[in-house]
Amino acid sequence: MAIIKVSTSVFSLIKTVERAVQKANYGDEILVAAGKYRESISIQQDVMITAKVAEHVVIEGIVIVPKATHLTLENITLHPTTQIYVEGTITLTNCVLNGSMSTVLLSLNGGKAHAEKCKFIGAKDVAVALLNKSSATMSNCYFESNEKTHILMDQSSIELTNCELLKAEHALWLKNTSIATLNHVKMHHHTGTQLIIQASSTLHMQGCGLEHGEGNGIYAAEQSKIRIQNTVIQHHALPQLWIQSSQLHLLNSRIEYGNESGIMLRECSEATITNTSFAFHKIANVQLTLESLLNMTDCQIYSCQGVGVQLKDKSIANFNESIFAANALPQLFISEQSICTLKDITIKEGKQVGIFVEKNSSCSVVTSTIRNQENTAITVINAEMFVLDSVIQQNKGNGILTVNGATTTIEGCKFDNNEMPHIAGKDHANVSITQSELFGGKGIFMVDSCELDISETTIKDGTGVQVEIVGQTKASIVKSRISGGDSNGIKVMKNATMHITESQITTHKLPQIIVNDSSVIFKNSELLHGEKNGFIIENHAEAFIQDSFISNHLYPQIWIDLDSAVELSATQLTEGHESDIYVQNNSTLHAQHCIIQNDKYHFNVQAVNHSKIDLVHTTIENSLGNIFYSENNSHITHTLDELN
C-alpha cells in the first residue's frame, strides 16, 4: 500500500486530490496537506483520503463513489458546494460536511456509509439522503442547521449511536419500509415534527432524548412500527407521539411536558407500554381514537391539565398495575363505544372524576383502588361498568354515579367514607351489588325509574340514609345486613318498590324503614334495635311483611299512616318499648298467624282516626294487661289464637 501526498505547494508533484485518485492503486492512501481544493472527485477503486488531525483540509466540489468502490475520508472538511454521491461504500472519520450552498451533503443510492465523529452542517435541504436500499451506521456524529431534514430515508436503513441532531425542520424522515435504529441519540429544537415514520417503516430508539420540538416528537403512519426504550420525550407543541395506523412498543421511558397530549393513537393503531410515566400535558396524557388498541402495564399517568387517558371511537385499552394521579379533568375518560379494563390499578387524588364512562362504552375495574377524588370516583352515563374486588373510598363525590340508562355491576367491593352516597343512580339506571361492604358515608341513593339489586352485602355506619330509592325505582335486597346508621336504614319514596328477603336491618337512630307513597315486601328478614320506629308506612303506601322478626324499637314498631295498608303474615313482633302496631288516618292492617308480644307498654295494637286492624289467628301477649286501643271511628277485629 502506497502513500500519495497531495499539496497546493508549488514544490508538490501532485497538487489535486483528483490527480492523486487517478494515480492511486487499490488500497492506496492519499495524504492531503493543509489547504483548499476546489475540484470534483470520482473514485475508481478503493482508496483512502486523509489529512493530519492538526491540518485544515477543505475540499469544495462533488465526490462520486461508484458501485463496487470504497472511499475512506479522514480529517477532511468539505464545503460549501460539496455533495457526496455514493453507490458504493464510504467511510467518514472526523470529517466536517458544511454545505451552505448544497442541497444534499451525503447522498446514498443503493450505497453504504459509515461515519464516526463527523459533523453535517448547513445543507439547504437534507444532510444525509439514503435511497434504494442504502444503509448507514453513524456514531458520535453531529447534525445542525440542515434546513429541511437531517436524514431522509427511502427503502433504506440507518443506525445512529451517540449522535446529536438539532435545528432543522425534521431530524429523521423514514419512507417506504425504511429502518432506523437510534442508540443514545439526542434530538432537539426542530421547527416541525422531529421524527416522521411512514409507509411500513420501523424505528428503534434506546436511551435517547427527544425534546423541544415545534411539531410532534414522533409521527408514525401507514403501518409503521415504533419501539422505544429508556427514552425521554418532552416539550413538544403537538402530541409528542402521534401514532396513526401503526404499532408502538414503549418501555422504561418518560413522556412529559407536552403542550397537547403525550400519545395520540388513532386509526386502528396498537400500543404496548410498560414502566413508563406520562405527566404534565395540557390536553391529555394519553389519547386513543378510531378503533385503536392500548395495553399498558406498570405505568404512571399523572399531573395533566386535562384528561389522564381518553378513549373514543370504539377504542380498546387494558391497564395493569398502573397509577393515575392528580389529573385535572377525568383521570380516565371512556366514550363512543370504547372498551376498557383495569386490573390492580390505583386512581387517586384527581381534581375531578376518577373514571368517566359514556355513550355505550364499557369499563371493567378489578382489584383496584379509587380514592381521594375531588368529585365522583366513577361516573357512568348511558354505558356499562363492572367493578370487582375493588376499594372506592374517601372521594368528595359519589363512589359510583350511574345515570341515563347505564348499568353498573359491583361485586366484592368496599366503599368507605365517600362524602356523597357511595352508590347513586338516576334516570333508568340499573345497579347490581353483590358481596360488597359499604362503610360510613350516605349509602345508596337511586331516583327516577332505576333498578337496584343488593345481594350478600353489608351496609353500615352510614351518616345519612343507608339505602334510599325514589320515583318509580325498583329495588331488591337479599341476604344482606344494613346496620348502625345515624339516619334511616331504608327509605322508599314516590311510587318506588322494594323487596327485602333474608336480610337484617338493625340499629339506626331514625326510623329504620320508611315507605312513603310506595310499596315494600319484607320476607324472612329481621328488623331489630331501632332508636325510633321499625317501619313507617305512610301516604298511600303498601307493605307486605311475612315470616319475619321485628324487635326492640323505642317507638311503635310498625307505624301506618295516611291511607296506607299493610299485610302482616307469620311474623313476630316483640320487645317493643311502645306499641307494636300503630295505625292511623284511614289506614289498614291485616295480620294472620302472627305473634305480638309486649311487656313494656299498655297497648300492643292501636287504631286511630278512621283506621282498621284485622287480626286472624294471631297471638297477642301483654304482661301489663291492655292489648288494644282504638278511637275516632277506628276498628280492631280479631279471631285470636291466644289473648293474654
Side-chain angles (χ1 to χ4, degrees):
M1 182 181 71
I3 297 177
I4 302 171
K5 296 183 178 180
V6 179
S7 174
T8 58
S9 169
V10 295
F11 303 105
S12 175
L13 295 176
I14 301 176
K15 293 182 172 61
T16 67
V17 178
E18 176 66 16
R19 176 62 178 154
V21 168
Q22 292 172 355
K23 288 181 64 65
N25 293 317
Y26 179 86
D28 283 351
E29 178 181 342
I30 299 171
L31 181 62
V32 184
K36 183 178 290 186
Y37 301 84
R38 292 184 176 91
E39 56 182 297
S40 294
I41 302 167
S42 180
I43 306 302
Q44 303 303 319
Q45 56 192 341
D46 295 1
V47 68
M48 176 184 292
I49 302 173
T50 69
K52 294 180 180 179
V53 175
E55 301 285 355
H56 185 61
V57 175
V58 177
I59 298 175
E60 295 182 3
I62 298 174
V63 178
I64 299 174
V65 183
K67 292 180 180 179
T69 61
H70 184 177
L71 171 63
T72 300
L73 295 175
E74 186 173 331
N75 303 325
I76 302 294
T77 298
L78 300 101
H79 78 94
T81 59
T82 298
Q83 179 172 337
I84 302 176
Y85 180 80
V86 180
E87 292 183 347
T89 303
I90 188 169
T91 299
L92 300 156
T93 304
N94 198 29
C95 293
V96 177
L97 282 70
N98 188 339
S100 59
M101 296 178 65
S102 300
T103 302
V104 180
L105 300 181
L106 174 60
S107 179
L108 281 72
N109 187 357
K112 297 180 180 180
H114 174 74
E116 185 172 357
K117 298 180 181 178
C118 293
K119 294 182 179 180
F120 299 83
I121 301 170
K124 293 174 66 176
D125 283 338
V126 177
V128 178
L130 289 83
L131 310 172
N132 297 325
K133 300 182 180 179
S134 297
S135 64
T137 60
M138 297 182 172
S139 61
N140 299 294
C141 291
Y142 181 83
F143 296 77
E144 182 180 354
S145 300
N146 300 292
E147 188 168 329
K148 292 186 177 179
T149 304
H150 293 309
I151 300 172
L152 176 64
M153 303 172 59
D154 193 327
Q155 291 183 303
S156 299
S157 63
I158 194 168
E159 182 175 344
L160 300 177
T161 304
N162 294 320
C163 295
E164 185 172 4
L165 299 84
L166 67 153
K167 296 182 180 178
E169 186 174 353
H170 311 293
L172 277 78
W173 193 329
L174 280 65
K175 301 179 180 180
N176 297 322
T177 67
S178 294
I179 301 172
T181 302
L182 282 57
N183 296 300
H184 304 286
V185 175
K186 296 179 180 179
M187 294 155 284
H188 55 93
H189 291 97
H190 293 90
T191 59
T193 293
Q194 303 212 65
L195 302 176
I196 299 176
I197 319 298
Q198 291 180 306
S200 301
S201 295
T202 302
L203 172 68
H204 299 277
M205 295 175 66
Q206 165 69 35
C208 295
L210 185 62
E211 304 178 357
H212 298 287
E214 296 181 22
N216 305 109
I218 298 174
Y219 174 89
E222 302 169 16
Q223 309 305 318
S224 294
K225 296 180 180 180
I226 312 296
R227 184 176 181 86
I228 302 172
Q229 290 182 268
N230 303 307
T231 292
V232 176
I233 302 174
Q234 57 186 3
H235 298 296
H236 291 90
L238 299 179
Q240 305 212 69
L241 296 175
W242 183 290
I243 312 298
Q244 182 170 313
S245 303
S246 297
Q247 296 181 15
L248 169 68
H249 290 265
L250 180 60
L251 294 83
N252 306 324
S253 297
R254 299 198 333 259
I255 316 296
E256 300 173 342
Y257 299 105
N259 280 356
E260 292 193 7
S261 58
I263 293 182
M264 167 66 80
L265 297 172
R266 57 184 293 121
E267 296 181 22
C268 302
S269 291
E270 298 181 10
T272 300
I273 303 174
T274 305
N275 192 28
T276 294
S277 64
F278 300 84
F280 307 112
H281 294 91
K282 293 184 178 179
I283 293 178
N285 279 325
V286 178
Q287 292 179 291
L288 287 77
T289 187
L290 297 171
E291 301 184 43
S292 293
L293 172 63
L294 170 66
N295 287 289
M296 183 177 286
T297 302
D298 193 23
C299 292
Q300 301 81 44
I301 302 120
Y302 62 96
S303 298
C304 180
Q305 295 180 26
V307 178
V309 175
Q310 182 184 54
L311 281 73
K312 295 173 60 180
D313 299 315
K314 300 181 181 179
S315 294
I316 300 173
N318 302 305
F319 297 92
N320 293 280
E321 299 176 353
S322 296
I323 297 173
F324 295 69
N327 296 290
L329 297 180
Q331 306 220 54
L332 175 58
F333 185 97
I334 308 163
S335 184
E336 298 171 4
Q337 301 180 58
S338 296
I339 299 171
C340 183
T341 61
L342 302 99
K343 188 175 187 297
D344 300 326
I345 300 296
T346 297
I347 300 176
K348 63 181 181 178
E349 299 166 4
K351 308 302 181 184
Q352 202 185 81
V353 176
I355 301 174
F356 190 98
V357 190
E358 66 168 6
K359 296 181 180 178
N360 296 306
S361 296
S362 177
C363 181
S364 298
V365 180
V366 182
T367 57
S368 297
T369 298
I370 306 174
R371 58 182 172 84
N372 301 113
Q373 311 301 316
E374 293 291 327
N375 203 312
T376 298
I378 299 173
T379 297
V380 190
I381 302 175
N382 189 27
E384 64 178 4
M385 168 66 67
F386 301 90
V387 187
L388 309 176
D389 301 321
S390 296
V391 176
I392 300 175
Q393 62 184 7
Q394 299 174 351
N395 300 285
K396 290 189 177 179
N398 302 111
I400 300 177
L401 173 62
T402 306
V403 300
N404 192 19
T407 299
T408 296
T409 301
I410 301 163
E411 183 175 335
C413 294
K414 293 184 179 180
F415 295 77
D416 180 17
N417 292 304
N418 299 292
E419 293 188 13
M420 295 182 69
H422 296 307
I423 298 166
K426 183 179 180 181
D427 189 15
H428 298 88
N430 190 318
V431 175
S432 175
I433 308 167
T434 305
Q435 297 178 344
S436 296
E437 299 178 358
L438 288 71
F439 300 97
K442 299 178 182 178
I444 300 170
F445 179 77
M446 307 285 289
V447 63
D448 294 341
S449 303
C450 294
E451 293 188 13
L452 171 67
D453 293 300
I454 302 173
S455 177
E456 301 178 68
T457 290
T458 297
I459 305 171
K460 67 178 184 178
D461 301 334
T463 58
V465 177
Q466 305 223 66
V467 179
E468 183 171 1
I469 64 170
V470 181
Q472 298 183 334
T473 293
K474 297 179 181 180
S476 69
I477 300 175
V478 179
K479 296 181 180 179
S480 297
R481 190 173 192 269
I482 302 172
S483 65
D486 291 339
S487 181
N488 309 107
I490 296 172
K491 288 182 76 172
V492 186
M493 311 282 287
K494 296 182 180 179
N495 200 25
T497 302
M498 171 81 76
H499 289 209
I500 303 169
T501 307
E502 299 181 62
S503 297
Q504 185 183 84
I505 293 90
T506 180
T507 325
H508 292 88
K509 293 183 178 180
L510 297 182
Q512 303 214 71
I513 300 176
I514 294 179
V515 186
N516 187 313
D517 187 27
S518 299
S519 63
V520 164
I521 296 175
F522 190 83
K523 285 187 174 183
N524 298 306
S525 297
E526 295 180 341
L527 187 63
L528 311 172
H529 303 292
E531 294 187 21
K532 300 288 186 179
N533 308 91
F535 275 101
I536 289 184
I537 301 160
E538 61 184 358
N539 190 21
H540 303 278
E542 296 179 350
F544 178 64
I545 304 169
Q546 183 179 43
D547 298 322
S548 296
F549 183 76
I550 301 172
S551 175
N552 211 335
H553 294 86
L554 300 183
Y555 284 39
Q557 304 209 77
I558 300 176
W559 179 289
I560 308 167
D561 198 358
L562 297 172
D563 299 288
S564 298
V566 173
E567 181 78 19
L568 196 64
S569 176
T571 293
Q572 182 174 359
L573 287 79
T574 185
E575 299 187 44
H577 290 255
E578 291 191 6
S579 295
D580 294 295
I581 297 171
Y582 189 96
V583 183
Q584 68 174 4
N585 296 328
N586 296 300
S587 298
T588 63
L589 176 135
H590 177 79
Q592 60 181 354
H593 304 295
C594 296
I595 299 174
I596 303 172
Q597 299 171 309
N598 196 314
D599 58 3
K600 297 177 182 178
Y601 194 75
H602 279 285
F603 304 109
N604 301 60
V605 178
Q606 296 192 54
V608 177
N609 194 17
H610 302 279
S611 296
K612 182 178 179 181
I613 297 173
D614 184 22
L615 305 172
V616 178
H617 301 300
T618 293
T619 298
I620 303 177
E621 298 178 0
N622 191 315
S623 61
L624 299 180
N626 297 311
I627 295 175
F628 300 132
Y629 177 84
S630 63
E631 66 175 33
N632 194 14
N633 297 311
S634 297
H635 303 281
I636 301 174
T637 61
H638 55 85
T639 57
L640 301 182
D641 288 342
E642 185 175 349
L643 181 64
N644 292 319

